[in-house]
């Protein structure tokens, strides 16, 4: 029935106060509530005449600002469109100042009906204005005489019911798009008048898509004002930026609202009176801001709406905070609020997580530093105390304790070489001869069967080595065909086969040789390999001497029974004989079954304590998984023990191993004695 | 101290393994061995079947690896105990010891490796020598995806299988060709053989199903193993 243009002005509290979003929202909320009230009251008051509504509308003004409201009545129009309503607004275009001006005398108590000559503010009107380039510049430069005030909000409401407002803007946007520039539409009263009308629309265009410079503060005021009813699909908001700078905060929240109740269209604009200085400043700021945003947008090449009040917020953050792009439906208020809350929560969580991670990293690096410190200390001890007096110090308690903690990899080569010793007196010459010999004996006969060799009838050592080398620690990528150690390992194994044709190559050796190569050069590795494989345990296993192997199994079972009687019983019930899992542990000295670092540590102690440590380590593993193993049946036990968990903790395992004692019975018979007994028994059988 | 640590360990690890251990319900349990020359793809074949995975980062098998898998065949739940053995001839004295009680064998050669095909006869002899007479054997030519490097044709494989009276499949663990079929066929022929034996030898009827034939008699449906 009634259509309104209501203008109100609000003074910002303090020009120097930085106003952040939330505080503005809270400021705007009561204001917009009041505005709604005032609109209602003014609409009632209209029938009684304009002066009354004018007085009422001024109620909206906060802090007693001198601003005045204007009420436009369009009673005469039966079903008004925005164009028609805008026709009623007494605006004139001033060709000199190139501005839209509220007609002189408007806003006085003269009533509105007399104003019939206003400039059409519809499509054509905008287009005309579009022809005026850089209005902002002109305004800010020569508008010094004007008592103008910055900026306001231009909103449409429930446009689905009446699209004229939207069409109007569409055309306007199109026009602006063609210019590919920004434009400020500025309508104001003549300089002498208190009431100035200023309508400014700032738009930025990019790739034919309207990029509204949205002032989120204004969004809030709009949302509050329109009570969440607006249909975002057709709604576009154009807000001049007026609070991104301190100066601007003074003039924010000025709202003009065009209320078209009957047509369910609502258009907001602002009328306010302010000192001209503020206006100039704010326009300047606006201009700067617009430019800044334009640059930002060009960089991010983003088509979505961009806030021009993103105060010190990174572009990403600002984008997330914004409402949706114009081509998408706008969010309802509650959703928007919720999203903001969620976003804040996300930020909080991620900060929390970052802090936590940072702490964890710090802790880890602290731990690493501590470990490194320990390793440095250990290296010092090994280098200065133990290694120079090896024969004397190798069996003393201090050395053994240090040894238990694992040998630092820096000194591992030296300690291993010394600990394995060279009983076979293998010299560098012997190694070189073996390497050369292997080229003739092993590799030349590659595809030829060596039928004379009883150990490899049907299988040549070269074939086996070739097949196994690339299947040795494949996770390291060192021994694969393209890996740097492929040839070295093949050569080493070939040399060994030449050196000991009676043993030849057997699966598992490639792991032992690779372990050595990981810690030393090939020549000392060869010496170590040959001497290791000369030890009773390994030599009997690689030659598959069943009698000796069984003696070892039986000895192991003695210690199993001694240390873990309940589990031993369970294994027996399940008919899981130790050979099923020990074979793997022994042939590769755990290097295939356990992670390399743990395997290396087991090797360290195998070299300190001898073969019994292999069985002790096996019992340590059983002890560590005691409860688990008690609940498994035969096949799962076998599966578990031949494929140990990959996340075994080294220190934990070694604490379990230390809990295994390697003496049996009341006489505390050591491992070697038990083994001798078993060997004798087996030989007698 | 040891005991308390054990308790802690049990808390963390128990659940993970409890699930496996709980799978005690089965009608039959068959012990199956995969044998064949070194590097013919026994472990890959088993991993493809049990875990449906394939990695080119093979690790050579030293000793024996184990896998367990339960299948449904002919309305029966069959728990397969699969033993994956090391292929090197040297270790045959070790591995043949485990032939006892095996109800099925997957004898594998590599279609790109003549040597492995030539060894098939030896492997059959080993089975005859060390295993139960009724053990079922399927001959498998693996790596059939590597056509370019193939040296043993399908016909030769088939011919040898017929000669030896074995079922025959060509497979690829890498491309997952026929892997499942081999196991299913093996389970079927074991079931057939078993019912035959039960029919012809009434003394077997009283024995618990499946366990009579294995070296590691498992309590069927008996629940707790503790």
């Amino acid at each position: 029935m009634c259509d309104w243009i209501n203008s109100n002005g609000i003074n910002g509290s303090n020009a120097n106060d930085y106003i952040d979003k939330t505080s503005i929202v809270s400021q705007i909320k009561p204001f917009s509530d009041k505005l709604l009230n005032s609109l209602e009251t003014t609409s009632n008051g209209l029938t009684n005449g304009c002066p009354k509504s004018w007085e009422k509308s001024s109620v909206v003004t906060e802090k007693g600002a001198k601003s005045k409201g204007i009420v436009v009545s369009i009673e005469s129009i039966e079903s008004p469109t925005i164009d028609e309503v805008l026709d009623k607004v007494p605006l004139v275009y001033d060709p000199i100042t190139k501005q839209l001006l509220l007609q002189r005398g408007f806003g006085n108590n003269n009533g509105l009906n007399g104003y019939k000559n206003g400039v059409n503010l519809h499509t054509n009107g905008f287009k005309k204005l579009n022809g005026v380039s850089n209005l902002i510049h002109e305004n800010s430069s020569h508008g010094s005489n004007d008592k103008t005030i910055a900026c306001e909000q231009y909103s449409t409401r429930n446009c689905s019911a009446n699209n004229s407002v939207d069409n109007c803007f569409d055309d306007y946007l199109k026009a602006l798009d063609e210019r590919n520039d920004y434009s400020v539409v500025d309508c104001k009263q003549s300089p002498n008048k208190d009431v100035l009308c200023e309508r400014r629309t700032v738009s930025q265009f990019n790739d034919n898509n309207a990029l509204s410079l949205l002032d989120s503060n204004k969004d809030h005021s709009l949302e509050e004002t329109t009570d969440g009813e607006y249909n975002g699909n057709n709604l576009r908001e154009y807000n001049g930026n007026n609070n991104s700078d301190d100066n601007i905060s003074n003039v924010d929240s000025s709202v003009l609202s065009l209320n078209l109740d009957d047509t369910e269209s609502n258009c907001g604009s602002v009328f306010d009176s302010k000192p001209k200085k503020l206006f100039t400043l704010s326009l300047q700021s606006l201009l700067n801001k617009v430019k800044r945003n334009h640059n930002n947008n060009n960089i991010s090449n983003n088509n979505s709406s961009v806030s021009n009040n993103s105060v010190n917020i990174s572009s990403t953050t600002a984008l997330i905070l914004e409402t949706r792009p114009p081509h998408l439906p706008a969010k309802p208020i509650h959703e928007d609020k919720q999203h903001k809350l969620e976003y804040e929560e996300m930020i909080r969580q991620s900060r929390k997580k970052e802090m936590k991670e940072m702490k964890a990293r710090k802790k880890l690096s602290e731990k690493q530093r501590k470990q490194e410190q320990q390793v440095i200390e250990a290296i010092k001890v090994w280098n200065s105390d133990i290694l120079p007096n090896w024969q004397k110090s190798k069996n003393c308690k201090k050395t053994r304790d240090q040894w238990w903690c694992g040998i630092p990899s820096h000194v591992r080569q030296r300690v291993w070489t010394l600990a394995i010793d060279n009983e076979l007196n293998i010299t560098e010459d012997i190694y070189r001869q073996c390497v050369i010999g292997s080229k003739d004996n092993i590799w030349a006969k590659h595809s030829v069967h060596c039928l004379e060799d009883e150990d490899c009838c049907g299988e040549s050592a070269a074939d086996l080595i070739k097949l196994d080398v690339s299947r040795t620690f494949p996770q390291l990528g060192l021994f694969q065909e393209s890996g740097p150690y492929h040839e070295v390992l093949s050569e080493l194994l070939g040399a060994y086969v030449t050196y000991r044709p009676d043993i030849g190559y057997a699966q598992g050796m490639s792991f032992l040789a690779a372990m050595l190569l990981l810690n030393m050069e090939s020549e000392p590795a060869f010496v170590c390999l040959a001497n290791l494989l000369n030890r009773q345990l390994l030599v009997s296993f690689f030659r598959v001497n069943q009698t000796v192997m069984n003696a070892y199994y039986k000895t192991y079972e003695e210690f199993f029974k001694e240390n873990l009687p309940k589990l031993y019983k369970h294994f027996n019930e399940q008919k899981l004989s130790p050979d099923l899992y020990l074979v793997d542990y022994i042939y590769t000295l755990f290097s295939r079954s356990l992670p390399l670092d743990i395997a290396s540590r087991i090797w360290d102690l195998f070299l300190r304590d001898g073969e019994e440590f292999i069985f002790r380590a096996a019992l340590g593993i059983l002890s560590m998984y005691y409860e688990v193993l008690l609940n498994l049946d035969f096949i799962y036990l076998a599966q578990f023990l031949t494929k140990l968990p990959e996340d075994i903790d080294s220190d934990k395992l070694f604490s379990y191993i230390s809990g295994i004692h390697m003496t049996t019975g009341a006489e505390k018979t050591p491992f070697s004695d038990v083994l001798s007994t078993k060997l004798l028994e087996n030989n007698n059988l | 101290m040891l005991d308390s640590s054990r308790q802690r360990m049990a808390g963390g690890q128990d659940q993970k393994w409890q699930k496996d251990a709980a799978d005690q319900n089965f009608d039959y349990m068959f012990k199956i061995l995969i044998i064949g020359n070194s590097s013919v793809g026994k472990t890959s074949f088993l991993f493809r079947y049990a875990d449906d995975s394939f990695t080119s980062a093979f690790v050579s098998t030293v000793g024996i690896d184990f896998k367990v898998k339960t299948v449904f065949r002919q309305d029966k739940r069959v728990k397969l105990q699969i033993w994956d053995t090391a292929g090197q001839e040297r270790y045959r004295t070790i591995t043949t010891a485990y032939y006892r009680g095996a109800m099925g064998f997957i004898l594998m050669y590599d279609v790109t490796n003549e040597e492995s095909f030539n060894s098939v006869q030896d492997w059959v002899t080993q089975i005859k020598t060390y295993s139960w007479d009724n053990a079922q054997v399927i001959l498998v030519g693996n790596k059939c995806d590597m056509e370019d490097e193939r040296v043993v044709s399908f016909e030769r494989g088939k011919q040898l299988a017929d000669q030896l009276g074995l079922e025959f499949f060509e497979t690829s663990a890498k491309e997952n060709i026929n892997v499942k079929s081999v196991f299913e066929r093996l389970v079927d022929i074991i079931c057939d053989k078993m019912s035959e034996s039960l029919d012809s030898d009434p003394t077997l009827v009283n024995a618990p199903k499946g366990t009579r034939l294995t070296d590691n008699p498992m309590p069927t449906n008996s629940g707790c193993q503790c």
Side-chain angles (χ1 to χ4, degrees), chain B residues 103-172:
Chain B
M103 306 179 72
F105 287 86
I106 294 171
L107 203 180
M108 190 174 289
Y109 68 89
D110 173 357
V111 298
T112 69
N113 183 331
E114 182 77 36
E115 186 60 45
S116 71
F117 182 68
N118 293 338
S119 303
V120 168
Q121 183 65 60
D122 286 347
W123 286 108
V124 171
T125 312
Q126 300 275 328
I127 294 169
K128 290 219 168 98
T129 314
Y130 295 100
S131 86
W132 177 54
D133 287 344
N134 281 338
Q136 301 300 304
V137 185
I138 290 185
L139 182 64
V140 168
N142 195 30
K143 306 190 188 176
C144 73
D145 56 292
M146 295 164 77
E147 274 306 328
D148 294 347
E149 292 164 59
R150 180 195 278 271
V151 291
V152 183
S153 68
F154 179 85
E155 288 69 30
R156 279 177 70 200
K158 180 75 183 129
Q159 201 183 358
L160 181 64
D162 289 344
Q163 223 173 30
L164 296 167
L166 309 175
E167 301 254 348
F168 176 65
F169 284 89
E170 275 201 349
T171 65
S172 164

Side-chain angles (χ1 to χ4, degrees), chain A residues 422-572:
Chain A
N422 190 1
E423 281 181 357
L424 297 170
N425 286 318
I426 297 168
T427 59
E428 210 175 305
D429 272 350
I430 294 175
Y431 171 63
R432 237 179 278 127
Q433 279 166 20
C434 288
V435 171
I436 294 163
S438 71
K439 285 192 174 115
D440 300 332
N441 301 330
I442 314 292
W443 306 112
K445 288 187 195 168
H446 192 170
S447 52
V448 184
H449 282 237
C450 56
L451 293 170
E452 310 94 304
D453 191 341
E454 56 178 338
D455 270 333
C456 59
C457 49
E459 282 175 344
S460 80
D463 279 333
L464 286 169
I465 291 170
K466 215 181 158 214
L467 289 172
D468 272 359
V469 164
S470 53
R471 295 192 293 168
T472 307
F473 300 126
Q475 74 276 13
L476 299 178
L478 290 172
F479 304 104
Q480 267 70 23
E481 229 152 294
S482 52
Y485 281 82
H486 180 80
E487 286 305 319
V488 182
L489 182 55
S490 305
E491 191 182 84
L492 183 65
L493 290 169
Y496 180 76
V497 173
T498 309
Y499 176 72
R500 287 296 293 266
D502 58 323
I503 295 175
Y505 175 77
Q507 284 191 313
M509 280 183 190
S510 67
F511 285 91
L512 302 183
M515 271 297 265
L516 292 167
L517 279 177
L518 289 173
N519 287 288
M520 56 187 80
E521 294 299 313
S522 51
E523 195 258 316
F526 178 78
V527 176
C528 286
L529 182 70
N531 281 287
L532 264 184
L533 292 177
N534 203 39
R535 294 189 172 198
Q536 190 188 11
L537 175 72
L538 291 174
V539 82
S540 50
F541 269 77
F542 277 112
R543 297 181 95 167
V544 199
N545 185 335
Q546 291 277 6
T547 319
V548 182
M549 285 166 79
N550 286 334
Y552 274 106
Y553 296 144
K554 283 187 175 155
T555 310
Y556 165 79
E557 285 194 300
E558 286 291 318
F559 289 92
F560 188 1
K561 194 161 61 182
E562 179 82 20
N563 282 281
L564 308 159
K566 202 177 161 193
L567 194 63
Y568 174 75
K569 193 165 156 265
H570 175 64
F571 274 42
N572 270 348

Side-chain angles (χ1 to χ4, degrees), chain A residues 213-394:
Chain A
L213 288 168
L214 289 179
D215 179 336
S216 62
N217 298 334
K218 294 301 184 184
D219 287 352
H220 283 287
S221 79
L222 172 78
E223 285 155 10
E224 304 291 347
T225 312
T226 56
D227 205 19
E229 280 177 45
Y230 63 84
N231 181 338
N233 206 8
N234 291 318
L235 176 77
R236 288 197 177 84
E237 301 151 43
Y238 302 96
N239 301 303
N241 170 25
N242 56 358
N243 59 351
S244 54
D245 295 336
D246 289 345
N247 294 325
I248 291 169
S249 62
N250 243 0
V251 293
D252 79 287
S253 310
S254 305
V255 173
L256 178 140
S257 172
L258 171 69
N259 193 356
L260 306 170
D261 281 336
D262 287 347
T263 59
E264 293 188 301
S265 287
N266 189 358
C267 176
S269 183
V270 161
F271 294 72
D272 203 353
S273 64
K274 273 307 200 184
K276 63 188 174 196
K277 196 180 174 191
L278 268 178
F279 168 70
T280 312
L281 279 170
S282 63
L283 265 182
Q284 199 76 58
S285 323
L286 170 65
L287 183 64
N288 293 340
K289 203 70 190 179
V290 164
K291 280 180 173 170
R292 259 208 307 276
N293 266 318
H294 182 59
N295 291 337
N296 284 343
N297 282 329
N298 283 344
I299 290 159
S300 63
N301 196 18
N302 207 317
N303 292 337
S304 55
S305 307
V306 173
S307 165
N308 60 352
N309 76 329
S310 50
V311 184
N312 295 330
I313 301 173
S314 70
S315 57
T316 332
T317 318
L319 283 174
I320 293 165
L321 284 173
E322 273 324 311
T323 48
R324 294 180 186 165
H327 61 281
L328 293 175
K331 294 175 192 172
I333 302 162
H334 61 89
E335 202 180 313
D336 194 44
K337 273 183 184 167
Q338 197 193 333
H339 286 174
K340 281 195 170 80
L341 283 173
E342 280 169 5
Y343 171 72
E344 279 159 19
E345 180 60 26
M346 274 158 64
I347 294 288
R348 203 166 40 243
Q349 290 295 338
S350 79
R351 287 220 178 102
K352 216 166 146 189
K353 201 178 154 200
E354 256 171 46
M355 287 291 281
K356 214 172 155 186
E357 278 171 1
M358 216 166 73
K359 267 183 196 164
R361 268 200 302 274
K362 208 175 158 191
K363 209 175 157 188
L364 195 77
S365 65
E366 195 88 345
K367 198 182 159 193
Q368 277 174 344
R369 223 186 47 203
K370 215 172 156 188
Q371 279 177 341
E372 274 164 26
Q373 201 61 43
Q374 279 174 349
V375 168
I376 290 167
E377 292 291 318
I379 290 172
K380 231 185 257 170
V381 172
W382 279 102
N383 276 332
S384 56
D385 301 346
I386 304 170
L387 288 171
N389 319 296
W390 177 250
Q391 290 305 329
K392 240 202 264 172
S393 63
K394 69 175 176 183

